[in-house]
Every structure is written in structure tokens, then in C-alpha cells.
Amino acid sequence: MQVKRGFASDNNAGVHPSVMDALLSANRGHAVAYGDDAYTEAAVRLFRGHFGERAEVFFVFGGTGANVTALAAVTRPHHAVVCAETAHINVDECGAPERFAGCKLAALPTPDGKLRVEQIEPLLAHSGDQHRVQPRVISVSQATELGTVYAVEELRGLAEFARARGMLLHVDGARLANAAAHLGAGFRELTTEAGVDVLSFGGTKNGMMYGEAVVFLEPRLAEDFKFVRKQAAQLPSKMRFVAAQFTALLAEDLWLRNAEHSNRMARALAAGLARVPRIKITRPVESNAVFALMPREAVARVRERFFFYVWDEQTSEVRLMCSFDTTEDDVRELVNVIAEAVGGNEGKDEV
Amino acid sequence: MQVKRGFASDNNAGVHPSVMDALLSANRGHAVAYGDDAYTEAAVRLFRGHFGERAEVFFVFGGTGANVTALAAVTRPHHAVVCAETAHINVDECGAPERFAGCKLAALPTPDGKLRVEQIEPLLAHSGDQHRVQPRVISVSQATELGTVYAVEELRGLAEFARARGMLLHVDGARLANAAAHLGAGFRELTTEAGVDVLSFGGTKNGMMYGEAVVFLEPRLAEDFKFVRKQAAQLPSKMRFVAAQFTALLAEDLWLRNAEHSNRMARALAAGLARVPRIKITRPVESNAVFALMPREAVARVRERFFFYVWDEQTSEVRLMCSFDTTEDDVRELVNVIAEAVGGNEGKDEV
Amino acid sequence: MQVKRGFASDNNAGVHPSVMDALLSANRGHAVAYGDDAYTEAAVRLFRGHFGERAEVFFVFGGTGANVTALAAVTRPHHAVVCAETAHINVDECGAPERFAGCKLAALPTPDGKLRVEQIEPLLAHSGDQHRVQPRVISVSQATELGTVYAVEELRGLAEFARARGMLLHVDGARLANAAAHLGAGFRELTTEAGVDVLSFGGTKNGMMYGEAVVFLEPRLAEDFKFVRKQAAQLPSKMRFVAAQFTALLAEDLWLRNAEHSNRMARALAAGLARVPRIKITRPVESNAVFALMPREAVARVRERFFFYVWDEQTSEVRLMCSFDTTEDDVRELVNVIAEAVGGNEGKDEV
Amino acid sequence: MQVKRGFASDNNAGVHPSVMDALLSANRGHAVAYGDDAYTEAAVRLFRGHFGERAEVFFVFGGTGANVTALAAVTRPHHAVVCAETAHINVDECGAPERFAGCKLAALPTPDGKLRVEQIEPLLAHSGDQHRVQPRVISVSQATELGTVYAVEELRGLAEFARARGMLLHVDGARLANAAAHLGAGFRELTTEAGVDVLSFGGTKNGMMYGEAVVFLEPRLAEDFKFVRKQAAQLPSKMRFVAAQFTALLAEDLWLRNAEHSNRMARALAAGLARVPRIKITRPVESNAVFALMPREAVARVRERFFFYVWDEQTSEVRLMCSFDTTEDDVRELVNVIAEAVGGNEGKDEV
């Protein structure tokens, strides 16, 4: 079967060997289902080490599941969730937040996938007006879907704004590890200490097989969450296998090594492409994604060798994602293939 | 960590070694996410071998996810889903069907977990009355939550009844393999040929780590299902790992061996308990569950050694579930522990 | 057009002349929409006179709207609402509570439409179990759909039970006036003082054209209600016309006179029918409904003259509803027609 | 109580005397509830006269109710409804469409409240992509919330676009009468013949007390609507009173006279304001709304005399709505008050 590595998404990668080992080790005897087991207990302890002792941690199956349950837990259906137009919850979840939480998303345009306080303020003009949905949550992606990263200061600013207006801050952290690696910051600094209320914490895109976590930094928000999770069909029965994977990621620094590696590969790719004529890097490379304008005819040719997505058909902007298993050879080869496809050899030797 | 085997549930067991091998084998290189990969293609082919070429097959994360997406796909919110009072969708899913599909469940009492046509007929008295929900789906569990199994004839009768009244037949097949093993019937005979429209097909309780399938035997019902699945947050990104597990189960007869084994262990357990005084088997043992009345004080004592659930606190009826990895020694030991706990030695040596 | 009076339902009656006068009087000039007007203020004042100064009062379009918004306001989707199997919310609202609130209804069988504390206790056995919906509200109909009435003591018992278990008591008071008339009690005694938390208060069945009220006796539960009401499409724009009708009902004792009248007509009807052979009154006549067994062939014949519903096709039990405009002549004629239809003349002259 | 007339909204007006007469006339004897009565039959006949014999007509309580039930009837929750950012369904319904239909709204910016085909095309780029909501309905307001009106050609263009892509066209016709009056067109030309599939038809803003209609021009879409209506709590029990009001509007030309009058008053108001210095009319006056920039300090002063809404706090743009009962004196007085408030007498005498 298929063994090629591509640049389509970090979820096209497989499972990190250490995570796989953890799955094997956890496969001994019986364990009580649904999270009442020692593996889950151990993994939660690790989360609390990273996020603080007050954190309430719940494992779920997937990233969309993490987002919709986190949002449903802290909203009522007449609330609105403020997010960037590019947010995964707005674009890539087939309306799951609206359906499950009942809420409206107030999606704001941004140049770089990052929300600013100034954009949100006007939405509050109708606070208390019974005809209008009531903004309740600010949801940011960290790193964003455009590969950019909020500085800790920016998150803190959003959190303070939220708190001052009775709102909450949610972080879609499907790639939080990549953001942390970029910033050289720990999870606690990026979330608990920055004032984040609730977090979707990604595992699958950073080397796990499946499994994400919903982490409540503000524990009172977690009160009913176990019911929300079950009602959303996001309660894994053989929970120990999700827990064991997270333990593999978090017990030592595997989460960081994976994220640093994929970030580094993205920077290398961007550096290589910078020397290819007719290719223009379009966004700051702050995590594991590289966005670039690529001539349409080149796209087709490169795709014969590597799978990746066209982000914007209008402008022929492509997205190239690196993952924990992307190699320097992969990057070099991709740059060469692109260089050939656009008809320029200039960048070739130097990569 | 915990290595003991218990009788609490078939999802307290781990992963069958062959399934684990399949996970390891699938972990090579990249594969397109969300099901557009060769592993998924291969697994779907196997399902069609079992269920017929017209079957439309979709993998999801879990059993509740399979049920709610299957039901949501074939209903509108003003419909009702007819089921047994004991049905998993009615009792154990925290209202997920009502929340996601919007539907009402019309839950009917049964002596043995099995619906009868005669019970359903009266619900149709208000067909077309705008004040009443409209029965649209009959949902049966096969095997049932009480360990009983519908005969093929019974399923056919329900399917014919449904078809004649513009209704559909859904099977919650979390333990369909156990039912098939009991009946000595193939999946096709039990579903497609019996007139079942849509099936939740279980993997987790029969040796998988996670993953279930929604199988539309009537393919036109599957038209929008990919959207329903995504909107329900039941679309695994690294789909190949669900597919590989199903391939391990279905390519040869692992599904059957696992099910036959757990059924056999249940029968052995029942046979052993039949000789223990003050223990009364309460239900026919047709799959991998044994239900028995056990004196309250014995329950506590046995639980010090084996984990299991009290099914009915009023009557002190317990449920003892066997799984693919239950051994004859486990069974023997449990019988002995129970025999001791109830204060009788009679049953001991003979088991 | 149709001018006959029937016994099908109290909502087949028209509008009481005093209510109509109030509509005419309110039709002067402009009034701010959506409830920010003097008519609404005045009506709310009257409600507080009846229910206590802490009551929070909201007008909605209809009875189903009142029930679903009241329930949605005080539940989360993983909660359950405990009610009688015969409850309007369970039988006659086409699943609106499930769809709008997301909740499951736990519908219990009763001999007389009235819930007992003893029935509810077992539902709490799974409190805190994440697989089960969590009972949160007890919803009773007062008067019930079977024409019976809870004694104040019974309500108090349910309220105390609810409070002791962190639950709430909701009253579907579509016919609360009839219950109050029967008991000779004021609204406050029946609700606020009995420990009711939230009430659907009926207007339409007691002489109004349209309009019901949701009354929170426990005001903190009303916090977000204005948003719930609007999101449920239950916010009348020309609110003054709902308010004016309630003012007509409540300013003096029109609500009571209407209810006493329809109750009295029901008692007269029951008394008349008691003397008709082959007719058997089946339920205590405590409000404006009379239930009776009527031979099937008689049903058809009586229906040629009066419209009414067969409550139970199996037993041929019929429901005969009186309303504020039912006359003694109507009752006498109905009894005669029934007496003729069953072939007995005995009852005729004496009615 | 309040008798002043203002310019806040056409639903601040009362009930047209002929509509009130119809309510009085309908208040005779009993009529079967829920629409099975002669009044409803007669009103539906009138609708079919206006919209064509195939039209399926359903009465509901209110405008938001009409919109959410119409949209829910023709969508599944993974669909998207394309609308203008200014649409009532997007801005003024507290998220009711998202909650009830489960759908996402795809709200597009427009200069004038009117959608263009060219804007919608790009939304279809992801047709069939399981991660994205699937555009299914184009919803336009006629007249729009900005007082503009779609030409018949424009509607036809949208309908053709929709049909060619498997989409449907919904019209929020809360002010369809005003649009028809402006265009000099009949309802049929504006809807059925233009290719509209489903319509929310407004009564309340054109002289009724309450009540709107959902009209399916494409009858097969109405198949399950009676259940959708009931489940949405939008089924009036004393239906005859909604029907009688519509009969009053539609039997002769009251709907048109009312709409023409309010449109004429708006034009007169715009003409008057055009001569007032520092007031700038901002939108074409095509129905009964006038939008104008008004200096902030003037707003406060004018509001002491007339109630109206500031549409845009940033620019101090106000909305002035005329209704069926606005008089030439009202208009003249408002212009004078505004002229005084802005400190200019120029416009005064000439109005």
C-alpha cells in the first residue's frame, strides 16, 4: 500500500513509533472502559503538569469533536462564537458547531488568520438586544489555519478583553504544539497563564493515531462536560488507548520534538522555495505550513509527485504542510520538483 | 498497570493481537486522510463481500456515533424511532439520538429486549396527525442488550412490517458478530437478505481498539451520509487505521472466531453457575452475556475479585459479559468465587 | 360559516366578548413592538398581583411555544424532563420539546394523568452516570390531560421532592384556571406557594384568541429567557394585543368565571350522562373534560350532530370538552342526542 | 395608553379597521381548531388565486416562525442558506434559523441588501466536499431590510441560477406587498412565475394583528410541512382568526392599498427630507423605509417627539419606517421636527 510522504496535511502522516509502542504496551489485560482506568489517570496527571493542577481534562475521538463539545459546554444556543473567517470551526467542520451547539458563528475577516480585539468590540453593540445573538466566546486557532501564531501578548489581550465583557476565550489547539515550539513557550504560559478558559488540544496532527483532549483551564466550566461529551458521541470506550498515546507525547518531550521538527521542515521548505522563480511565499512561516503562489500549470505537474492542496483556486495559492515524519530529503525533492515544474533550475542545487 | 480480566463489559478487553498487527502494518508512510486511501478501499471491499455489492460503508469512531448518524441520516426531526426500552440508544447514549437527530424515541417494554411487530402497530394509529411524531424507523439491537438474539425470521418479519408501512429497519449491531455466531448465519443473511435498511456494525466490542461502521444496505439512504458523518464529528482523519482493523477482522474469519469464543465462554459460565445454589440464570444465553440473580451480599464479595455490573439493583440481577480474551480459567475462577460468595461449595469442583 | 358549538376542545370556542373588546380598545395609535409598551407593563403587573412580585412574566404565541421555551430555559440537552405518558408535551407537540430543548422526556405511566413522587425516585438511580440523561425537571399538567387536578398538597410534595434532588417543577397550566376553579384556590397558592419553579400559563383555552405566558416563579431561571423566546420564534411583535387579552382575563375575575362555567358545564354533562344507559363515565370530573365509554355505533351517530374526539379507539372512550361558551342547552342537547344514539330514552326528560 | 404614531417600525402600528372587523365577524360559534375550518379553507383559496392553484399555504404565528419553518422544511442541517449580511434571518432572529434548522447561514455583504448571482457562484466551489456545508437555499428579502426592491428580472436570474445548481430560492416576504406595490406587479409574477420555491408571506407589517403564511410555490416541498410547523410551535390553535385576517387583506385589494399608502408616505418623507440641510437620504426609497444620515445631536432631539431607530451608530444613519396608518400630517410634522433639530428652517414651509 501507499508509502509515499506528501505535503497535503499533517494528518496524512502515520503514527509516531513511540506512540505506537505505547499502544502496544497498553494492550495488556482488561481496563475499565470510559476513562475509569489507570492509563487515563496517568495521562490526566501529565496534562496537569503541563497546564496546571486546576485543569480539567477530557479525552475525545477527534478534533471537530473537541471543538464542538468545548464550545457547546460553555454556550447556550442564543450565544455567538466569534472566530476568524478562516477558522476550522467555520470552514472545515461542515457546520458541526452550529448543529451541535445551536450557536451562530460570527466569523470575521483577517489578513492572517488572527483575530484582533478591535474587530470584536463592534459585535458587542447589541448586547442584551433580544433580537441578536449574544457574543459569548472568542475562539482562536493556535497555530492558525494560515500557519501564523499568536504571540503570548496577543492571547493575553484577547483573554483580558473577553473577561472584561463576560466572554470566554477558547483556543483551537489542533496545532498548539507547533505554536509552542515556535514561541519557545510552555503550554501553561500559552494557555492557563494567558487567560485561556478552554482548549481543544490536538494529538492526531502531532503523531497520534486518533484522540484529542478538551482541557478546561477554568474548572467550573467543566461541570457538566462528561454528559456533553457522551451526548456528542465523543466518549471512547477503550479510553486507555487514547490516554496511552497522550502519555507517550507528554511524558517526556516527544510533543515538542515532533513539533519542532515539522516547524523546521517548513522553514527549510520556505527557504528552498524562496529561491525558486515564480514561486512567492505568501504568509509568515511560523508553524508547519508554507503557503505560496504557484503557477497553475506547475500545480498539476508537481501533484503528479506530491499530494498537496490548493488553498485558493482564484490566486493559485497552495498550502504545503510538513509533519513529524517529513524528512530533509522530502523537502529537497519537493523544492526540486517545483523548480522543474515552474521551469526554473535556479533553486535546484542550492537547497 | 491493570492486567486482570473481568466480566464488566466486552469493551474492557483490549485489542486482539491480529488487529494490533494490522495497525502496525498500516503505519507506513503517508495516506490521504478522511478515507480516500487504499486501506479504506480494501476494507470497504471486504464489507461488500460480506453484505453485498450494493452496500454503502462508512467508518466512524464509536458505537454511539454509528447509531446517531445512521438514525439521523434516515429521519427528519418529526419522525420517531421505535425501539425496545432496553435499547442502547434509549438507555446508554445520554440522549444523543434525541439531540442529534431531533427525533423522539418510542421505547417499548419487552420481556427479552426484542421488539414484536404487534407492539409497533398501535403506534401507527396517528399516522398523518400533525400533533404526533411519525414513526419512521424500527431500531433493533442484534444481539440485544439482554444477550438475546433475533431469529432471521423475526428480523424478516420486522423488515416486512416496516416496508409495508413506509418505515425502515435499523440494526444496532454492536454485537452483530455474536448474533451471527449464535445463529450460524452470515452477515448477509442477517441483514441484507432479511430486509435491513441500515446497520451500525460493531468493531470495538469484538477485538478492535476503536472504530465502527455504518452500513447502508439500501444505498439510496446513504446519499448525504458523508456530510452527516462529518457534521456529527465522526469522521476519523487517519481513516486508514480504522480500515486496517476492520480488514483484520473481516479478511478471514477473525470476527467469527472472536464471537464464537466469547459466546462459548458465556455458555460455559452459565453452565457453571447453573450448579451454584442461590444463583439463578435469568435470560437465555444466546450471545456473550450471562444475566443472573445473585444475593446482594455475594455481589460485594465477588466484586473484590472481578469487576462486573449490577443490571437491576431492585432484584440484584447481575450482568456478566465475556469477551474474545476471556479464558476457561477466568470462567472457572469466577464460578468458584461466586460459589464461595454465596456460601455454597456444591458447584465448585464440578466446573 | 360554522356557528355550531361542539365538545371537541376548548380551543374550538371563539373569543370571549370582553377579550374582544380589549383587543378593540388596544387598537389605538402606535405602540412599541416586542413588549416595550404600556399594555404589556400593565398585564405583567396583573400577573404579579396573582403570582407574587418576584414573578418574571413573558408572553408567547401558543401553548406548545410556552412549554418548549419554559423547558429549554431551565435545561441543558443532557437533562431529562419527567412527565406523565399522557402529558401534552409527550403526546401532542410532535416532538417539539425534544427538538428544541434537545432533551429526552422520561414519560411515566399513570392511572389518572398525575405523577407520583414514588415513580420518579427510581429514575434518579443513575444520577451522575455519564451514559444516562439526568432528570432535571418534573413537568406536570394542571389540570391534567385526563381532566384530573392535583391537590395543592400533591404539588407541594412534588416540589419538595424536586428541590431536595436539585430538580425543578414545571407546570403546564394550559388549563390552570380550571384547576384553580375546581380547588377554590388562587394562582399563588397553586404555584408560587406550592414551590412551582416555572409555569406555562394558558390563555387561549380560556377565552383568548391566542397568547400564553411563561411565568418564572423563581426569577433567576428567567435570566436568559428573552433570548430563548426570540430564538424559538415565540416573540409576538405587536405584543400589546397579547397583553390586552391577558389584562381582560386577569384584571377582574373573568378568568375565574370562564373556568368555573366550563367546569360546571362538565359536571352537568357528567350528571346527565350518568343517567344514560350504556354510557360509563371513566374519570373524575375535576375540570372541563368528561371522559366516557360510548358504544362505537353511537359515536358515529352522535358525531353527526356534535364534533368531539375519541380518546381511545380500543375501548371507545370519548372525550367531551366544555368551554367558556358552552350553554346548558348545549349540554342538554348533547345528552339527549347521546341517549338517543345508544337507544335508551331513560335519561332524556330528566336532564 | 399610548396613541402617538411613530416611525420606528411598521409593526408599531396597530390593526387595520377592516382586519379588526374580520376578527369580529369570525368570532361566531365554534370552529375546528388547527386549520380544519371554513375560514382557513377560504383564505387558502384566496392565496391560490394570487399565487396559483398549485400553491401550498400554511399559516403560522410570526415572521421569524415563517422563515425558520420554511427553511427547515427544505434543508438538512449540513446545508447552507445563502443570504445578504443584512437579512432579517441573519441579524434579527437571534440565531433561530441555525438553532431550528441546524444550518449555517452564508451571509454575503451587499451594497443595497440585494444578493447577486456572481457572489453566490464562488460558494459552490466546494460542492460535494464533506468538510463543507453545502449551499442549498438562496434566501432573499423582498423588499429588503434596506428598503430596496428586487426587479422581477433579478429574482428570475436568482431562481434560474438556483435551479441550475440544484438549489432553491426562498423569499422572505415580510414586506412583499410593499415590493409588489412598488413594482406594480402581482404576487404571482413576483414569486411563482419568477421561479421562487418557497415564500414567507407577511401579514403583521401590513395591517394584521399577528399571523404570517408559508407558501410553497413548488408543492412537493410542502410534503412534511405540517409536522415541521407543529414541531416549531407555529401552529395556531384558533386558526380561523389568522385566516380571517388574511381574507380581509387579500379578498379585495386591502393588501395593495395599505402597501401603496405606506410606500407613498415614505416617498413623501424622503422628498421632504431632501430639502432639509444636513440630512442626506442614503438609500433608494423603493418601499416604506427611508434611510438618512442625521447629525447625532439632532437624533436625540427628534426622538423626544418621534420614536425611530438608529440603523448605524457609526455613521448616525437612521431608519424611518412608514406604515399603513402613517398620515401626511405625521410626515409633515416629522420633517418639521427634523428641520428644527438640525437647526435649519429652510425645509419647513415648503413641505
Short mmCIF file of all heavy atoms in Angstrom, two decimals, chain B residues 75-81 101-104 129-136, chain C residues 93-96 99, chain D residues 72-73 76 223-231:
data_model
loop_
_atom_site.label_atom_id
_atom_site.label_comp_id
_atom_site.label_asym_id
_atom_site.label_seq_id
_atom_site.Cartn_x
_atom_site.Cartn_y
_atom_site.Cartn_z
N THR B 75 -33.86 9.95 9.02
CA THR B 75 -35.05 10.54 9.66
C THR B 75 -35.05 12.05 9.46
O THR B 75 -34.06 12.66 9.08
CB THR B 75 -35.04 10.29 11.18
OG1 THR B 75 -33.80 10.76 11.73
CG2 THR B 75 -35.24 8.83 11.52
N ARG B 76 -36.19 12.63 9.75
CA ARG B 76 -36.35 14.07 9.92
C ARG B 76 -36.78 14.25 11.38
O ARG B 76 -37.31 13.30 11.99
CB ARG B 76 -37.40 14.63 8.98
CG ARG B 76 -37.15 14.33 7.52
CD ARG B 76 -36.22 15.28 6.83
NE ARG B 76 -36.79 16.62 6.74
CZ ARG B 76 -36.21 17.61 6.10
NH1 ARG B 76 -35.05 17.44 5.47
NH2 ARG B 76 -36.75 18.81 6.06
N PRO B 77 -36.60 15.43 11.95
CA PRO B 77 -36.82 15.53 13.40
C PRO B 77 -38.26 15.25 13.87
O PRO B 77 -38.47 15.02 15.04
CB PRO B 77 -36.42 16.98 13.71
CG PRO B 77 -35.51 17.39 12.60
CD PRO B 77 -35.98 16.63 11.39
N HIS B 78 -39.22 15.26 12.97
CA HIS B 78 -40.59 14.96 13.42
C HIS B 78 -40.89 13.47 13.36
O HIS B 78 -42.01 13.05 13.64
CB HIS B 78 -41.61 15.74 12.59
CG HIS B 78 -41.54 15.41 11.13
ND1 HIS B 78 -40.70 16.05 10.26
CD2 HIS B 78 -42.20 14.51 10.38
CE1 HIS B 78 -40.85 15.56 9.04
NE2 HIS B 78 -41.74 14.63 9.09
N HIS B 79 -39.90 12.70 13.00
CA HIS B 79 -40.08 11.25 13.00
C HIS B 79 -39.86 10.69 14.40
O HIS B 79 -39.28 11.35 15.27
CB HIS B 79 -39.09 10.60 12.02
CG HIS B 79 -39.42 10.83 10.58
ND1 HIS B 79 -38.47 10.96 9.60
CD2 HIS B 79 -40.62 10.98 9.96
CE1 HIS B 79 -39.07 11.15 8.44
NE2 HIS B 79 -40.38 11.18 8.63
N ALA B 80 -40.31 9.45 14.58
CA ALA B 80 -39.99 8.72 15.81
C ALA B 80 -39.23 7.46 15.44
O ALA B 80 -39.42 6.90 14.36
CB ALA B 80 -41.26 8.37 16.55
N VAL B 81 -38.37 7.06 16.34
CA VAL B 81 -37.62 5.82 16.20
C VAL B 81 -38.17 4.85 17.24
O VAL B 81 -38.11 5.13 18.44
CB VAL B 81 -36.12 6.06 16.43
CG1 VAL B 81 -35.36 4.74 16.40
CG2 VAL B 81 -35.57 7.03 15.40
N ALA B 101 -30.43 13.83 16.18
CA ALA B 101 -31.44 13.65 15.14
C ALA B 101 -32.67 14.51 15.39
O ALA B 101 -33.44 14.77 14.48
CB ALA B 101 -31.83 12.18 15.04
N GLY B 102 -32.84 14.97 16.63
CA GLY B 102 -34.02 15.77 16.96
C GLY B 102 -35.25 14.92 17.22
O GLY B 102 -36.25 15.40 17.71
N CYS B 103 -35.16 13.65 16.88
CA CYS B 103 -36.29 12.72 16.94
C CYS B 103 -36.66 12.33 18.36
O CYS B 103 -35.85 12.39 19.26
CB CYS B 103 -35.91 11.42 16.25
SG CYS B 103 -35.95 11.54 14.48
N LYS B 104 -37.87 11.86 18.46
CA LYS B 104 -38.32 11.21 19.69
C LYS B 104 -38.08 9.71 19.54
O LYS B 104 -38.23 9.15 18.46
CB LYS B 104 -39.83 11.46 19.82
CG LYS B 104 -40.39 11.17 21.17
CD LYS B 104 -41.90 11.44 21.18
CE LYS B 104 -42.42 11.42 22.59
NZ LYS B 104 -41.95 12.55 23.40
N ASP B 129 -51.18 12.55 11.62
CA ASP B 129 -51.69 13.55 12.57
C ASP B 129 -50.56 14.50 12.91
O ASP B 129 -49.54 14.12 13.48
CB ASP B 129 -52.19 12.81 13.82
CG ASP B 129 -52.64 13.74 14.94
OD1 ASP B 129 -52.42 14.97 14.83
OD2 ASP B 129 -53.20 13.24 15.93
N GLN B 130 -50.76 15.78 12.59
CA GLN B 130 -49.67 16.74 12.71
C GLN B 130 -49.21 16.97 14.15
O GLN B 130 -48.14 17.52 14.36
CB GLN B 130 -50.06 18.07 12.07
CG GLN B 130 -51.22 18.78 12.73
CD GLN B 130 -51.68 20.01 11.96
OE1 GLN B 130 -50.91 20.62 11.22
NE2 GLN B 130 -52.93 20.39 12.13
N HIS B 131 -50.03 16.54 15.11
CA HIS B 131 -49.64 16.73 16.51
C HIS B 131 -48.70 15.64 17.02
O HIS B 131 -48.14 15.77 18.10
CB HIS B 131 -50.88 16.76 17.40
CG HIS B 131 -51.80 17.88 17.07
ND1 HIS B 131 -51.69 19.11 17.64
CD2 HIS B 131 -52.81 17.97 16.17
CE1 HIS B 131 -52.61 19.92 17.14
NE2 HIS B 131 -53.30 19.25 16.25
N ARG B 132 -48.59 14.57 16.27
CA ARG B 132 -47.86 13.40 16.74
C ARG B 132 -46.57 13.20 15.93
O ARG B 132 -46.58 13.39 14.71
CB ARG B 132 -48.72 12.14 16.55
CG ARG B 132 -50.10 12.22 17.17
CD ARG B 132 -50.02 12.15 18.69
NE ARG B 132 -51.36 12.14 19.25
CZ ARG B 132 -51.84 11.17 20.01
NH1 ARG B 132 -51.07 10.14 20.32
NH2 ARG B 132 -53.06 11.23 20.49
N VAL B 133 -45.54 12.75 16.59
CA VAL B 133 -44.36 12.31 15.85
C VAL B 133 -44.75 11.11 15.00
O VAL B 133 -45.66 10.35 15.35
CB VAL B 133 -43.20 11.95 16.79
CG1 VAL B 133 -42.68 13.21 17.47
CG2 VAL B 133 -43.61 10.93 17.84
N GLN B 134 -44.05 10.95 13.89
CA GLN B 134 -44.41 9.94 12.92
C GLN B 134 -43.39 8.80 12.94
O GLN B 134 -42.23 9.01 12.56
CB GLN B 134 -44.45 10.58 11.52
CG GLN B 134 -45.45 11.72 11.41
CD GLN B 134 -46.89 11.24 11.52
OE1 GLN B 134 -47.32 10.41 10.73
NE2 GLN B 134 -47.62 11.73 12.52
N PRO B 135 -43.78 7.62 13.38
CA PRO B 135 -42.84 6.50 13.42
C PRO B 135 -42.22 6.26 12.04
O PRO B 135 -42.95 6.09 11.05
CB PRO B 135 -43.71 5.32 13.86
CG PRO B 135 -44.84 5.95 14.62
CD PRO B 135 -45.11 7.23 13.90
N ARG B 136 -40.91 6.24 12.01
CA ARG B 136 -40.23 6.13 10.71
C ARG B 136 -39.23 4.98 10.69
O ARG B 136 -38.99 4.39 9.65
CB ARG B 136 -39.51 7.45 10.45
CG ARG B 136 -38.51 7.43 9.31
CD ARG B 136 -39.19 7.48 7.97
NE ARG B 136 -38.21 7.62 6.90
CZ ARG B 136 -38.38 7.12 5.68
NH1 ARG B 136 -39.50 6.52 5.36
NH2 ARG B 136 -37.46 7.26 4.77
N GLU C 93 -47.23 17.39 20.92
CA GLU C 93 -46.43 18.51 20.43
C GLU C 93 -45.44 18.07 19.36
O GLU C 93 -44.47 18.77 19.07
CB GLU C 93 -45.75 19.21 21.62
CG GLU C 93 -46.81 19.71 22.61
CD GLU C 93 -46.27 20.57 23.75
OE1 GLU C 93 -45.04 20.68 23.90
OE2 GLU C 93 -47.12 21.14 24.49
N CYS C 94 -45.70 16.93 18.75
CA CYS C 94 -44.92 16.46 17.60
C CYS C 94 -43.42 16.49 17.87
O CYS C 94 -42.61 16.78 16.99
CB CYS C 94 -45.25 17.31 16.37
SG CYS C 94 -44.79 16.50 14.82
N GLY C 95 -43.06 16.19 19.13
CA GLY C 95 -41.64 16.13 19.45
C GLY C 95 -40.97 17.48 19.59
O GLY C 95 -39.74 17.55 19.62
N ALA C 96 -41.76 18.54 19.71
CA ALA C 96 -41.15 19.88 19.83
C ALA C 96 -40.19 20.00 21.01
O ALA C 96 -39.12 20.60 20.87
CB ALA C 96 -42.24 20.94 19.89
N ARG C 99 -36.92 18.36 20.08
CA ARG C 99 -36.19 19.08 19.04
C ARG C 99 -35.62 20.40 19.54
O ARG C 99 -34.48 20.74 19.27
CB ARG C 99 -37.11 19.38 17.86
CG ARG C 99 -36.33 20.14 16.78
CD ARG C 99 -37.05 20.16 15.48
NE ARG C 99 -36.16 20.58 14.41
CZ ARG C 99 -36.52 20.71 13.15
NH1 ARG C 99 -37.75 20.42 12.82
NH2 ARG C 99 -35.68 21.10 12.23
N ALA D 72 -36.29 25.25 7.36
CA ALA D 72 -36.10 23.91 7.88
C ALA D 72 -36.77 22.87 6.99
O ALA D 72 -36.28 21.75 6.85
CB ALA D 72 -36.65 23.81 9.31
N ALA D 73 -37.88 23.26 6.37
CA ALA D 73 -38.61 22.29 5.54
C ALA D 73 -37.82 21.89 4.31
O ALA D 73 -38.00 20.79 3.79
CB ALA D 73 -39.95 22.88 5.13
N ARG D 76 -31.45 20.21 5.01
CA ARG D 76 -30.94 19.29 6.01
C ARG D 76 -29.85 20.06 6.74
O ARG D 76 -29.30 21.04 6.20
CB ARG D 76 -30.37 18.03 5.34
CG ARG D 76 -31.36 17.30 4.45
CD ARG D 76 -32.27 16.35 5.17
NE ARG D 76 -31.54 15.22 5.75
CZ ARG D 76 -32.12 14.20 6.36
NH1 ARG D 76 -33.44 14.15 6.47
NH2 ARG D 76 -31.41 13.23 6.86
N GLU D 223 -44.43 18.69 1.50
CA GLU D 223 -44.90 17.36 1.90
C GLU D 223 -44.99 17.15 3.42
O GLU D 223 -45.99 16.70 3.94
CB GLU D 223 -43.97 16.31 1.30
CG GLU D 223 -44.62 14.97 1.09
CD GLU D 223 -43.58 13.98 0.55
OE1 GLU D 223 -42.55 14.44 -0.04
OE2 GLU D 223 -43.79 12.78 0.73
N ASP D 224 -43.91 17.47 4.12
CA ASP D 224 -43.88 17.23 5.56
C ASP D 224 -44.13 18.49 6.37
O ASP D 224 -43.93 18.50 7.59
CB ASP D 224 -42.48 16.70 5.96
CG ASP D 224 -42.32 15.23 5.60
OD1 ASP D 224 -43.34 14.55 5.42
OD2 ASP D 224 -41.17 14.80 5.51
N PHE D 225 -44.53 19.57 5.70
CA PHE D 225 -44.50 20.85 6.39
C PHE D 225 -45.41 20.93 7.60
O PHE D 225 -45.10 21.60 8.59
CB PHE D 225 -44.81 22.01 5.43
CG PHE D 225 -44.56 23.33 6.09
CD1 PHE D 225 -43.26 23.78 6.30
CD2 PHE D 225 -45.61 24.11 6.55
CE1 PHE D 225 -43.01 24.97 6.95
CE2 PHE D 225 -45.36 25.32 7.19
CZ PHE D 225 -44.06 25.75 7.39
N LYS D 226 -46.53 20.25 7.55
CA LYS D 226 -47.42 20.37 8.71
C LYS D 226 -46.75 19.88 9.99
O LYS D 226 -47.00 20.41 11.07
CB LYS D 226 -48.76 19.65 8.46
CG LYS D 226 -48.67 18.16 8.34
CD LYS D 226 -50.08 17.56 8.11
CE LYS D 226 -49.97 16.07 7.92
NZ LYS D 226 -51.29 15.44 7.71
N PHE D 227 -45.87 18.91 9.85
CA PHE D 227 -45.15 18.43 11.03
C PHE D 227 -44.07 19.42 11.45
O PHE D 227 -43.85 19.66 12.64
CB PHE D 227 -44.52 17.07 10.75
CG PHE D 227 -45.52 16.02 10.35
CD1 PHE D 227 -45.55 15.53 9.06
CD2 PHE D 227 -46.43 15.54 11.27
CE1 PHE D 227 -46.48 14.57 8.69
CE2 PHE D 227 -47.36 14.57 10.91
CZ PHE D 227 -47.39 14.09 9.61
N VAL D 228 -43.40 19.98 10.46
CA VAL D 228 -42.37 20.98 10.78
C VAL D 228 -43.00 22.15 11.53
O VAL D 228 -42.47 22.63 12.53
CB VAL D 228 -41.68 21.47 9.48
CG1 VAL D 228 -40.72 22.60 9.78
CG2 VAL D 228 -40.98 20.31 8.76
N ARG D 229 -44.14 22.60 11.03
CA ARG D 229 -44.84 23.73 11.67
C ARG D 229 -45.20 23.41 13.11
O ARG D 229 -44.96 24.22 14.01
CB ARG D 229 -46.09 24.08 10.86
CG ARG D 229 -46.93 25.16 11.53
CD ARG D 229 -48.10 25.59 10.65
NE ARG D 229 -49.04 24.50 10.39
CZ ARG D 229 -50.18 24.64 9.72
NH1 ARG D 229 -50.50 25.83 9.22
NH2 ARG D 229 -50.97 23.61 9.51
N LYS D 230 -45.78 22.25 13.32
CA LYS D 230 -46.19 21.92 14.69
C LYS D 230 -44.96 21.77 15.58
O LYS D 230 -44.94 22.27 16.71
CB LYS D 230 -46.99 20.61 14.69
CG LYS D 230 -47.42 20.16 16.10
CD LYS D 230 -48.28 21.20 16.80
CE LYS D 230 -48.39 20.95 18.30
NZ LYS D 230 -49.12 22.03 18.98
N GLN D 231 -43.94 21.11 15.08
CA GLN D 231 -42.75 20.88 15.90
C GLN D 231 -42.05 22.20 16.22
O GLN D 231 -41.36 22.31 17.23
CB GLN D 231 -41.79 19.93 15.18
CG GLN D 231 -40.89 19.19 16.14
CD GLN D 231 -39.94 18.23 15.48
OE1 GLN D 231 -39.49 18.43 14.37
NE2 GLN D 231 -39.63 17.16 16.17
#
